[in-house]
Amino acid sequence: MLKKILIILVALNSFPLTSQSLAGDGAALVLSGGGARGAYEIGVWKALTDLDIKIGGVYGTSVGSINGPGIIMNDYKRARDLWFQISYLTVMNISSSAEALLKGDFKELSFSEYMKVLRDFREEKGFDVTPLKNLLSGIIEEKTVRKSRIDYGLVMFSVTDFKPRMHYIEQIPEGKLIDYILASANFPLFRRQVIEGEVFIDGGVYSNVPVEMALKRGFKDIIVVDIGITTPVDMVNHFKLISDESIKYTYIKPEKQFGSFLTFEPETSRKYLLEGYLDTMRVYKKLTGEEYYIYGTEDIIRNMFNCMDEADQERALGVLGISRKRAAGAQNRYGDLVLPLFKLILFSDFSTSASSTSLHLLEKLAEKSGVDTLSPYSQEELLKKILAGIQDDWSAVPFFDYISRLRYRKIVSFLRFLNFNSPCAGSDPEGYGNFLLWYNNLLR
């Protein structure tokens, strides 16, 4: 442990950086390492593009250094399809036994096969990533990256002298870009990358989120995409950025994980790409919600209730168990009678707004009805999904599910009543159609 700490302390003051200022050329996009989760970063970039956020520099570690050139080349489909076509065999030269081991399919391996994988790994000093090199050679156009007005940099770590190497594009020799990327992305299980006699390992062992490179170039608008493990250096830099009022700092990180660093599977990449896009849209306030991605903040439940006549409102309140006598004395039936009941059932803070309470309620019910989280919804769409997904005969659900859902039963009946009787069940929020076009183009 002491040795690691000393290495970090020495490294903090040992790497050369160029001080050229690129401030004013847009935002710096800092991409962390994260192995097979890399499609998330492409989803983030696509969202930034749709939001017309200009990128002036891309700085990455490990898989972030792989994604950087695709972003600079401004070829979304090429960058996306890299992840949609990815597999263990497009990354590494490995046997079927080694692939099963990496997937965690231990039951598929005999003891002798298991031992052979370990023996081969030790003798060959890691897995051969020639397939990854060939894949990148067919995708990355080094001349295009060098000619771009978007800056580029990556992080490596030298095992030879235990020091980090942070290189901007002009510091990388002509024709060696892919070699440097492979050095930055040299995951500990891979065979070591050697450049001019110097041995390198994944830059993430030093800094997985290389914000230093963006700061040194003078950027004041920094967007960080963090899909991996945070190092001590990253923690220090994170707190520096938070406390520096001169920096506009945007931090994007996946909350849901669909696989490990080594889950190289197209379906997993598809999920990460969608999540990256939706998370970014939520960070930039195009979407709201906590567990779900919801377009529009208007309280659809309140609107549906308030536009019914008094007789139908009384019938709706009766579904909730609220008497006519109480209804007659309420000036604002929704605010005085319905909303407090929602908050009580949700164990919610009574100071929260009506719209956030209704949104929270819809999310809870969507979760219980099994609505897919990895998609955008208007509130009306989410409500219809909920009503379609929740069983009318709740006695058929397992006992503990029944107990947990019991307190929502009257509310579901109330929502069914509104959906059937309210004349305001309705239109999509403004701009939602265009947003869906953006979203649907992600996979085309």
Side-chain angles (χ1 to χ4, degrees), residues 234-300:
D234 298 329
M235 292 178 188
V236 171
N237 288 330
H238 178 73
F239 287 114
K240 282 182 180 179
L241 288 175
I242 289 175
S243 60
D244 189 341
E245 295 182 357
S246 70
I247 302 292
K248 181 183 177 183
Y249 177 42
T250 306
Y251 184 75
I252 304 171
K253 184 179 179 69
E255 293 187 9
K256 294 182 177 66
Q257 304 295 341
F258 304 104
S260 74
F261 296 110
L262 292 173
T263 308
F264 293 107
E265 297 172 351
E267 178 58 23
T268 300
S269 292
R270 186 190 72 85
K271 290 178 180 178
Y272 274 123
L273 180 128
L274 295 178
E275 185 186 24
Y277 187 88
L278 293 169
D279 280 353
T280 305
M281 288 297 184
R282 186 157 59 190
V283 166
Y284 283 92
K285 310 301 183 185
K286 280 289 184 180
L287 298 172
T288 187
E290 295 180 3
E291 296 297 323
Y292 287 82
Y293 302 97
I294 303 171
Y295 192 98
T297 57
E298 193 173 11
D299 186 347
I300 186 177

Side-chain angles (χ1 to χ4, degrees), residues 92-370:
M92 299 168 274
N93 276 326
I94 54 174
S95 65
S96 57
S97 297
E99 182 178 357
L101 184 62
L102 291 173
K103 288 181 177 180
D105 296 335
F106 300 106
K107 293 181 180 179
E108 302 295 322
L109 295 176
S110 67
F111 180 74
S112 60
E113 288 173 324
Y114 176 78
M115 294 305 296
K116 185 178 187 305
V117 171
L118 295 183
R119 185 170 59 253
D120 291 345
F121 178 82
R122 184 176 63 252
E123 290 175 355
E124 296 174 9
K125 298 180 180 180
F127 295 123
D128 174 25
V129 291
T130 299
L132 178 60
K133 182 174 184 177
N134 294 336
L135 183 64
L136 296 180
S137 297
I139 293 174
I140 295 174
E141 298 171 0
E142 183 173 336
K143 288 184 179 179
T144 303
V145 176
R146 291 186 180 278
K147 289 179 180 179
S148 175
R149 296 179 64 182
I150 300 175
D151 193 33
Y152 175 70
L154 52 74
V155 183
M156 313 182 297
F157 191 89
S158 172
V159 178
T160 303
D161 60 9
F162 275 81
K163 290 182 180 179
R165 298 283 189 269
M166 293 192 174
H167 292 287
Y168 295 106
I169 186 64
E170 72 273 12
Q171 297 171 319
I172 298 172
E174 294 275 351
K176 293 292 184 178
L177 177 59
I178 289 175
D179 289 335
Y180 275 65
I181 289 172
L182 289 172
S184 177
N186 193 262
F187 192 73
L189 290 178
F190 297 164
R191 191 178 298 168
R192 296 284 76 82
Q193 181 74 13
V194 181
I195 299 176
E196 296 182 0
E198 192 168 4
V199 182
F200 291 95
I201 195 171
D202 196 299
V205 302
Y206 166 69
S207 176
N208 207 35
V209 187
V211 294
E212 302 104 314
M213 301 195 78
L215 291 169
K216 199 68 177 179
R217 288 298 212 192
F219 284 98
K220 296 295 185 180
D221 186 353
I222 299 177
I223 303 166
V224 165
V225 188
D226 184 2
I227 59 172
I229 296 171
T230 304
T231 71
V233 172
D234 298 329
M235 292 178 188
V236 171
N237 288 330
H238 178 73
F239 287 114
K240 282 182 180 179
L241 288 175
I242 289 175
S243 60
D244 189 341
E245 295 182 357
S246 70
I247 302 292
K248 181 183 177 183
Y249 177 42
T250 306
Y251 184 75
I252 304 171
K253 184 179 179 69
E255 293 187 9
K256 294 182 177 66
Q257 304 295 341
F258 304 104
S260 74
F261 296 110
L262 292 173
T263 308
F264 293 107
E265 297 172 351
E267 178 58 23
T268 300
S269 292
R270 186 190 72 85
K271 290 178 180 178
Y272 274 123
L273 180 128
L274 295 178
E275 185 186 24
Y277 187 88
L278 293 169
D279 280 353
T280 305
M281 288 297 184
R282 186 157 59 190
V283 166
Y284 283 92
K285 310 301 183 185
K286 280 289 184 180
L287 298 172
T288 187
E290 295 180 3
E291 296 297 323
Y292 287 82
Y293 302 97
I294 303 171
Y295 192 98
T297 57
E298 193 173 11
D299 186 347
I300 186 177
I301 301 176
R302 179 184 59 191
N303 290 351
M304 293 172 70
F305 180 85
N306 284 345
C307 75
M308 293 192 301
D309 60 34
E310 287 192 12
D312 278 340
Q313 284 185 1
E314 288 181 0
R315 290 169 58 202
L317 292 172
V319 173
L320 291 174
I322 298 172
S323 67
R324 287 188 178 184
K325 184 176 181 181
R326 287 182 62 197
Q331 293 182 342
N332 174 8
R333 289 179 169 183
Y334 185 80
D336 295 343
L337 301 174
V338 177
L339 201 59
L341 181 61
F342 287 174
K343 292 184 177 183
L344 189 64
I345 288 173
L346 291 168
F347 306 116
S348 179
D349 183 352
F350 275 75
S351 66
T352 55
S353 67
S355 58
S356 62
T357 298
S358 295
L359 202 61
H360 187 197
L361 177 66
L362 287 175
E363 289 195 276
K364 280 291 184 184
L365 291 173
E367 180 185 356
K368 292 186 178 298
S369 58

